Structures are given as C-alpha cells and as structure tokens.
Amino acid sequence: MQESPLSASPYEILGVGVHADDDELRRAYRRRLRETHPDIGGSADAFRAVQEAWQRIGTPEARAAYDSGRPEPTADDGYAPHHPGADRPHGDTRPRARSYGHPGGWRRERYLAMIREWVGRGTEIDDPYDPALVRSAPYDIRHTLADALAEEATARSLAGLGIGYTIWHDVAALDGGKIDHIVLGPTGLFAVQSEDFGGAVTLRRGEIVGAGVEGRPLHELETRARRLGHAFGVTFAGMIVVLPDDALDQSVVEAGRLHGAALLVVQSSVLVHQLRTGVRDVPRAAGVDLFEVRTRLQQGVRFV
C-alpha cells in the first residue's frame, strides 16, 4: 500500500537534510540505530523505521530513485486516482454494496487547487501526484491528499459489505462541511469519517488527541450526523472515525454514547466487521425500517 503523504521521509527518520553526503548519511544511520535499539531503551517500531529508511536511501541507486519520486516498483497505484473496481480480485462476481457519490472527490479537487496555487499560477505541472512533489508540499496540502486517500480506501472496504448495504459518500452536512460516508445496513445507520493524522493518536475525555489532530473530530462528526438525522427523520446507531491501523493501539475504542448512539474510533482493517456486527445494546434494524430509512436518505441526501 502506498505510504501516507504525511509519513516521515527517510531523511527525517535518520535526522539529516536531503543534501547530506553519503558519509553524513551513513553516520546518521548508525547513530539512529544506537538511539532506537530496543536493548538500550529504544522503541522496536522506531528501530524498524530506521532500518527501512536506510533501505530506501542507503545506496546511491536507491537514493536517486527516491529523490526522483520514482522508488522501486511496488504493487500500489501511487497517489493518483484509480478505478474503484481496481482492487476487486479477478473473478470476484459477488454483489457489491450499493453506493452513491464520489468518495474522496471533494478533497482531491481541493488538493489539486492547493498544489497548483502553491507551485504558482501559470506553472505547468506534469504530474500533480508525483511523490517527490507531494513530499515537498506544505503540511496542509499533504494532509488534504492523505484524507482523500483515506476516504477512497474506506470506500473500497465498504463496497465489500454486500448487497444488503447502501452507502452514500461525500454527503453535504448542514453546517457547510461534509460526512465522508453514511452506511445503512441490517445493523443500523452509521456516519463514518475517514481520517489520516499522520501518526498515532489516543482518546482523552471522549475525543481524539494527537500531534496532527486539529479541532474535535468526534464532536464534529456527531454534531453533523445528529443534525442530518433530525432533518431527515432518521436515527444513527453510531458515528465512527476510521483511522489507519498503526494510528490506534486498539482495534475498536468506544468514546462514549450520546442519545443512544455510540461514538467509536476503529482501525481501518476492522471497520467492515464492526459495521456487520453493529453496536452493543443497539437494536438491529428491521427490514421495513431499512426500506423507510433508505427512502428518506435517497430523498434528502445532497453531495458536496
């Protein structure tokens, strides 16, 4: 899988500038190995990250490829958008969940506008998703692209829920913002927000906190979902913020409940399971209720 646009570069992990010579790079690598070694109080994850950074830029050939934005070939499709069915295994004919809207589309449009403004109006950009260009961009631009990628990854997972589910992507909220995904299925109605904060987060007093977290993501999602639910006459069983697996040290964390709806933070790999099993102590939706809720959403949902 393509690394997040917010991921630290190998140079940042090794603690050197991009113009460091080979000797300086080698010394930095050895120093960081000593500093992060688990046997002397370092972190196993940090130690592994140092080794991976060296693999990416430790030889002149690998470094030249990385600096050019064209590292060794991988199975991913990079940052550029790709066909939503591209991740479907060959020969898989199982029915997919019904979906509406364009996941990640709003943020991709925003990213393209921001990257062109940053490069300079009138400047020709051969590839706005070139990894070297993305890495050099300011944080807010990289964060916008990271969230678009997160939304698209969630949408691909949600499609595998099957024909019993209906999904709306990039839903316009009443406050001018948006809800990334609204999911309706046998376990109820869920509002889902896909986030990539560029690092690990924790929960404190019912809210997500961390170095890259701005605002109050859970509160904002709950407020938007509650207002939409009131406007459409529907009730959400839960509001979920989904994060990359390595951003959360537990697969599912319940941050609290408001008016019977659960506030959850989940790792991306368990999102589908969570939606299929539902929320503890929240009744599963009946068939007639599903039909009525789906009809109301189809009539009321607007997209950004």
Side-chain angles (χ1 to χ4, degrees):
M1 181 178 178
Q2 174 72 27
E3 69 176 13
S4 167
L6 298 177
S7 298
S9 74
Y11 295 103
E12 292 170 329
I13 292 171
L14 296 178
V16 297
V18 296
H19 301 298
D21 61 32
D22 291 344
D23 288 340
E24 185 180 355
L25 191 66
R26 190 174 297 105
R27 289 195 299 271
Y29 169 58
R30 291 171 178 167
R31 182 183 68 253
R32 290 292 292 145
L33 280 180
R34 292 193 300 270
E35 293 172 349
T36 60
H37 201 289
D39 290 346
I40 56 174
S43 160
D45 289 340
F47 186 69
R48 185 166 52 251
V50 170
Q51 293 174 308
E52 292 174 353
W54 178 253
Q55 290 176 357
R56 299 175 72 184
I57 62 173
T59 66
E61 296 79 13
R63 185 177 183 182
Y66 179 84
D67 290 344
S68 70
R70 297 286 184 261
E72 64 278 0
T74 62
D76 64 71
D77 294 314
Y79 297 135
H82 61 284
H83 190 276
D87 291 337
R88 186 167 185 164
H90 181 70
D92 183 0
T93 59
R94 291 174 297 178
R96 311 286 269 179
R98 286 171 289 187
S99 64
Y100 305 90
H102 187 176
W106 183 86
R107 282 204 167 91
R108 279 201 180 268
E109 288 183 359
R110 184 169 174 78
Y111 165 77
L112 291 174
M114 294 170 72
I115 196 75
R116 287 169 178 145
E117 180 75 19
W118 175 67
V119 171
R121 292 182 179 179
T123 301
E124 193 71 27
I125 303 177
D126 293 333
D127 179 7
Y129 297 109
D130 178 79
L133 176 65
V134 172
R135 285 196 299 267
S136 66
Y139 175 85
D140 59 336
I141 297 179
R142 290 184 288 119
H143 192 188
T144 300
L145 178 58
D147 277 346
L149 293 167
E151 289 180 37
E152 292 165 357
T154 297
R156 290 192 294 271
S157 296
L158 293 176
L161 282 167
I163 198 170
Y165 291 80
T166 306
I167 307 159
W168 294 265
H169 301 292
D170 264 359
V171 176
L174 301 182
D175 64 354
K178 74 183 184 79
I179 298 175
D180 294 344
H181 325 273
I182 291 180
V183 182
L184 175 65
T187 56
L189 181 65
F190 294 85
V192 179
Q193 204 75 0
S194 301
E195 297 284 1
D196 182 351
F197 297 116
V201 302
T202 59
L203 264 72
R204 185 182 303 153
R205 295 180 181 178
E207 189 52 87
I208 301 171
V209 295
V213 180
E214 297 180 357
R216 301 169 63 192
L218 273 170
H219 173 75
E220 291 168 8
L221 177 60
E222 184 276 329
T223 300
R224 289 170 178 171
R226 177 166 42 81
R227 289 176 178 173
L228 273 187
H230 180 74
F232 297 162
V234 299
T235 301
F236 283 89
M239 295 81 168
I240 301 174
V241 172
V242 56
L243 301 171
D245 283 6
D246 57 3
L248 199 64
D249 61 5
Q250 299 179 57
S251 58
V252 179
V253 181
E254 183 169 323
R257 300 209 175 188
L258 287 173
H259 308 294
L263 301 179
L264 304 174
V265 184
V266 308
Q267 294 176 336
S268 59
S269 62
V270 302
L271 175 64
V272 167
H273 174 74
Q274 180 65 52
L275 291 169
R276 282 178 173 155
T277 56
V279 178
R280 176 178 48 86
D281 298 331
V282 174
R284 298 172 71 90
V288 64
D289 294 334
L290 281 176
F291 179 80
E292 178 64 24
V293 171
R294 184 182 299 115
T295 299
R296 294 184 182 186
L297 289 169
Q298 287 288 65
Q299 293 174 346
V301 160
R302 298 294 180 268
F303 302 101
V304 294

